């Protein structure tokens, strides 16, 4: 067993680095830039029941040490995912996590049922935290009752590993985390982006076509780590941590806070090779610290 | 074929108005790069800000494999790239995007550049000249000093200039010169343009009224730059299209017809 290998439920990850949803689409475009089979897994763009055209441009604005996006879940929808996008994923020799998003609980259930028979993926990531769509998305992740409903309804129809992706835009993330755990989540993925806004002082208009968006990148790293630490103390299921990871040291920091796996998002835009560069560095870290496995550091922040 | 490697800067020229030309020893990009395509340049490896890469269109690829960019400092990112020196290495991803379509043999290519829009137009011009075409160039800028590579351009093709302030050549927008001069030439025309939004908008009615094909190089903030994230989508008559993958070259009427 490799010193970076880790297991969540029945799923084995060759290392704890996954590529986050919304960053690599359905994988195909990135295959020219990075060996996708060296990472622990990739998370697809969230699939909705029907195609979504996405939000009015501009959709991307750079902000200090990060970026705002308001893509609005532009995706081809379930049907075209099944006919056009899944073929490439089927050939990938790494874990595929399918992310789904709905405007209603029925949407989530219908997509789950439709993809449940596919055997090339082992994990379903339920996106209840997109800040950029009007109906659904983040509403499910901000209200504990809706979180409970959507997770338990999906649990009832899916035997896959269920990860629930949480929004940090709540007062008590520990509460939502516990609700998701009790409703049957196998792990929690956090954080999605922080709601943000930027205004052009010359035109007086918002810089994003959608007015508001989600903030990601190194700017949110300390905020994300705090949320992971909060959730680590609130639940007993594993955490998949993300939010501004830019280097191997950040991965260690997220793991110390309680994440067993991590996802790399926006930093991949700046450096698609980041995950591949981080792998040997993490191995060196494990050896240097005299550990048997990187897994041993999960949640081991030392608080005197 | 998209390269994702660090390349060394082997040429730096500071032009008028602080526009910087950087030449990279980037053989993989030189082999595949075509006029209209761009390269996503990493601003800095060390700093978390600016965070995103900057998509810059290819300005030229020389016979000895040097890939050149003509960069205007418009913000922190482009300024930092421009501050790079010969010998520095930057990470480049490219060539990316859809190139300009080369014209039919019987066509007169008409190139239109506004401001720093000369960057990709120059590359196209050189390729057209190499292919034996006799292109016409309409080139507008804010003021006389913002016109780049003037002598070189004049010596290579017929150029019509305009400046906003009238400090050189005709005062006004370059698009205003078109109706006046284009019909001095006969035959079939195909148009290629790169410049600011107002230039595209002013070209649209002219192209439409004569039913001229006109390819433009569009611009939008980008994140991944390879078609995966849908961050750079632009509204077209066929719905949203990704500038990085479906473009950056679009038909003018697909974007500006409705406006």
């Amino acid at each position: 067993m490799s010193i970076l290998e880790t297991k969540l439920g029945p799923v084995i990850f060759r290392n704890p680095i996954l590529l986050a949803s919304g960053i690599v689409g359905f994988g195909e475009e990135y295959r020219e830039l990075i060996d996708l089979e060296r990472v622990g897994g990739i998370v697809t763009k969230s699939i909705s029941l029907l195609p979504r055209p996405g939000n009015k441009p501009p959709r991307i604005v750079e902000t200090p040490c990060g970026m705002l996006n308001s893509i609005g879940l532009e995706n081809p929808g379930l049907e075209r995912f099944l006919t056009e996008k899944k073929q490439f994923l089927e050939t990938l020799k790494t874990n595929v996590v399918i992310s789904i998003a709905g405007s209603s609980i029925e949407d989530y259930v219908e997509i789950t049922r439709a993809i449940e028979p596919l055997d090339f993926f082992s994990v379903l990531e339920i996106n209840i935290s997109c800040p950029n769509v009007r109906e659904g998305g983040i509403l499910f992740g901000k209200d504990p009752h809706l979180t409970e409903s959507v997770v338990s309804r999906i649990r009832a129809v899916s035997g896959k590993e269920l990860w629930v992706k949480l929004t940090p835009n709540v007062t008590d993330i520990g509460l939502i985390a516990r609700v998701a755990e009790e409703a049957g989540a196998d792990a929690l993925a956090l954080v999605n982006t922080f709601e943000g806004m930027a205004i052009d002082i010359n035109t007086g208009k918002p810089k994003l076509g959608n007015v508001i968006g989600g903030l990601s990148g190194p700017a949110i790293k300390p905020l994300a780590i705090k949320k992971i630490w909060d959730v680590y103390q609130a639940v007993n299921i594993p955490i998949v941590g993300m939010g501004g990871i830019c280097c191997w040291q950040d991965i260690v920091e997220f793991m110390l806070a309680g994440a067993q796996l991590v996802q790399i998002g926006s930093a991949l835009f700046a450096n698609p090779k980041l995950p591949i560069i981080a792998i040997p560095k993490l191995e060196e870290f494990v050896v240097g610290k005299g550990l048997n496995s990187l897994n041993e550091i999960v949640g081991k922040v030392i608080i005197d | 074929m998209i390269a994702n490697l660090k390349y060394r800067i082997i040429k730096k020229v500071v032009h008028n108005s602080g526009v910087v030309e950087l030449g990279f020893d980037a053989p993989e990009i030189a082999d595949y790069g075509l006029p209209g395509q761009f390269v996503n340049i990493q601003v800095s490896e060390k700093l978390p800000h600016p965070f995103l890469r900057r998509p810059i269109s290819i300005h030229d690829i020389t016979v000895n494999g040097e890939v050149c960019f003509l960069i205007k400092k418009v913000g922190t990112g482009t300024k930092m790239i421009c501050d790079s020196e010969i010998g520095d290495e930057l990470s480049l991803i490219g060539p990316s995007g859809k190139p300009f379509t080369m014209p039919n043999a019987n066509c007169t290519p008409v190139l239109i550049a506004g401001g720093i829009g000369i960057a990709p137009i120059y590359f196209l011009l050189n390729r057209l000249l190499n292919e034996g075409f006799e292109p016409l160039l309409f080139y507008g800028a804010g003021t006389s000093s913002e016109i780049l590579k003037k002598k070189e351009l004049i010596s290579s093709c017929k150029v019509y200039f305009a400046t906003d302030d009238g400090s050189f050549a005709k005062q006004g927008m370059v698009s205003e010169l078109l109706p006046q001069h284009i019909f001095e030439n006969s035959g079939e025309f195909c148009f290629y343009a790169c410049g600011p939004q107002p230039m595209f908008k002013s070209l649209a009615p002219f192209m439409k009224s004569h039913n001229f094909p006109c390819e433009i190089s569009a611009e939008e903030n980008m994140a991944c730059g390879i078609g995966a994230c849908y961050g750079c989508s632009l509204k077209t008559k066929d719905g949203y299209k990704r500038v990085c993958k479906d473009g950056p070259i679009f038909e003018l009427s697909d974007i500006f017809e409705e406006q």
Side-chain angles (χ1 to χ4, degrees), chain A residues 3 10 16 24 26 41 60 106 109 114 125 127 134 190 200 214 218 227 276 304:
Chain A
I3 51 177
V24 294
F26 299 97
I60 299 277
E106 288 67 33
V109 172
E125 184 176 275
N127 179 0
R134 273 203 184 78
L190 61 138
D200 183 324
K227 297 289 181 191
I276 307 303
D304 292 326

Side-chain angles (χ1 to χ4, degrees), chain A residues 57 59-60 62 65 270 273, chain B residues 4 51-54 221 230:
Chain A
R59 297 176 175 181
I60 299 277
E62 192 173 54
C65 303
K273 288 181 179 163
Chain B
N4 173 21
F51 180 63
L52 295 170
R53 287 171 180 260
R54 296 295 185 267
N221 294 342
Y230 291 82

Side-chain angles (χ1 to χ4, degrees), chain A residues 4 15-19 39 221 225 228 241-265 274-283 285 294 297-299:
Chain A
L4 298 186
N15 60 58
I17 306 172
L18 285 84
L19 309 182
V39 297
K221 195 186 84 174
I225 289 172
I228 287 157
M242 76 202 83
I245 291 174
C246 279
C247 57
W248 70 269
Q249 293 94 330
D250 292 344
I251 297 173
V252 171
E253 199 176 343
F254 273 68
M255 294 183 80
L256 287 168
Q260 193 182 331
L261 295 174
V262 297
Q263 293 180 9
I264 295 178
L274 167 62
I276 307 303
I277 293 167
I279 292 166
K281 296 288 185 185
L282 291 172
E283 286 168 345
F285 176 80
L294 186 59
I297 69 165
V298 174

Side-chain angles (χ1 to χ4, degrees), chain A residues 69-138:
Chain A
N69 88 78
S70 68
I71 289 158
L73 294 181
E74 174 166 352
N75 81 96
L78 175 64
E79 203 180 310
R80 278 182 52 213
F81 168 74
L82 294 172
T83 54
E84 295 169 23
K85 300 292 181 186
K86 82 167 168 50
Q87 287 72 10
F88 173 73
L89 295 169
E90 280 171 336
T91 65
L92 263 188
K93 292 180 189 66
T94 188
N95 291 299
V96 173
V97 178
I98 296 187
S99 170
I100 63 168
S103 311
S104 67
I105 291 177
E106 288 67 33
D107 279 8
Y108 282 101
V109 172
E110 197 174 333
I111 303 167
T112 304
R113 279 185 199 278
I115 61 175
E116 182 69 13
L118 305 176
D119 54 13
F120 68 89
F121 83 104
S122 42
V123 181
L124 188 64
E125 184 176 275
I126 310 170
N127 179 0
I128 54 166
S129 42
C130 176
N132 291 319
V133 293
R134 273 203 184 78
E135 65 293 323
I138 202 168

